[in-house]
Amino acid sequence: MSLNFDTRPAAYAVIIRDGAILLAYWKQSGKEGWTLPGGGLDLGEHPVDGCRREVYEETGYSARVGAMLGIDVGHWPAEIRIDGGERDFQSLRLIYEAEVTGGELRHEVNGSTTHAAWIPLGDVEGLNKVSLVDVALRLYRERPLDGKLSAETP
């Protein structure tokens, strides 16, 4: 018997420059925290194009999307979904390495993030952040060939 659930593919960028990572501050339905620039893909949109679009929308920067670092899979039971959906929810978050190629840092307007900032890598541990940030930094450091992190934490 298979379980019916909703799936949302999304693409995110790990952008590190001069010892700092570019993060966006997410706020939705009473939850908030620092996250990677990125988000859900539009219907039929290629993940690389979606990643580039989301980086621009959330930060004001144009980005060159590089190698895929890996995929993070999330699962939220229906009873804790923040969008009120009645079925379990699975996210497929494709995480890419990227670099800024132009633009200027600015805040997103009418989106799910309030602002973006360059955060020194040494300060990331103490931030109020979503789990995706830690997963992405591990993928960036470890670079598993198959894009899947081992269960052990370094």
Side-chain angles (χ1 to χ4, degrees):
M1 180 169 118
S2 66
L3 178 69
N4 287 323
F5 58 92
D6 297 326
T7 301
R8 177 178 173 256
Y12 295 86
V14 175
I15 302 175
I16 296 176
R17 175 172 84 183
D18 301 327
I21 185 168
L22 182 61
L23 296 177
Y25 200 79
W26 168 80
K27 279 182 113 168
Q28 187 177 6
S29 302
K31 297 186 184 225
E32 62 185 271
W34 288 100
T35 189
L36 297 175
L41 301 176
D42 292 336
L43 185 62
E45 183 177 40
H46 190 281
V48 169
D49 298 329
C51 186
R52 190 179 305 113
R53 174 184 54 76
E54 286 282 348
V55 168
Y56 181 75
E57 288 175 2
E58 294 180 355
T59 71
Y61 287 125
S62 298
R64 177 179 301 115
V65 177
M68 180 187 287
L69 298 171
I71 300 173
D72 182 51
V73 178
H75 170 242
W76 291 268
E79 59 271 11
I80 66 168
R81 285 181 65 164
I82 61 175
D83 66 357
E86 297 181 7
R87 301 191 309 182
D88 280 18
F89 178 79
Q90 173 179 265
S91 65
L92 295 175
R93 299 182 284 203
L94 290 77
I95 302 166
Y96 292 92
E97 185 172 16
E99 64 179 317
V100 170
T101 59
E104 292 185 24
L105 186 62
R106 59 143 174 81
H107 305 314
E108 182 176 24
V109 178
N110 297 323
S112 60
T113 63
T114 60
H115 59 287
W118 290 98
I119 308 292
L121 287 168
D123 294 347
V124 172
E125 183 62 33
L127 293 177
N128 174 32
K129 61 189 180 300
V130 301
S131 62
L132 179 63
V133 174
D134 291 330
V135 168
L137 284 172
R138 273 192 68 200
L139 285 166
Y140 181 82
R141 285 191 310 269
E142 298 176 23
R143 298 184 184 264
L145 291 178
D146 62 2
K148 182 179 183 227
L149 293 171
S150 62
E152 307 88 46
T153 0

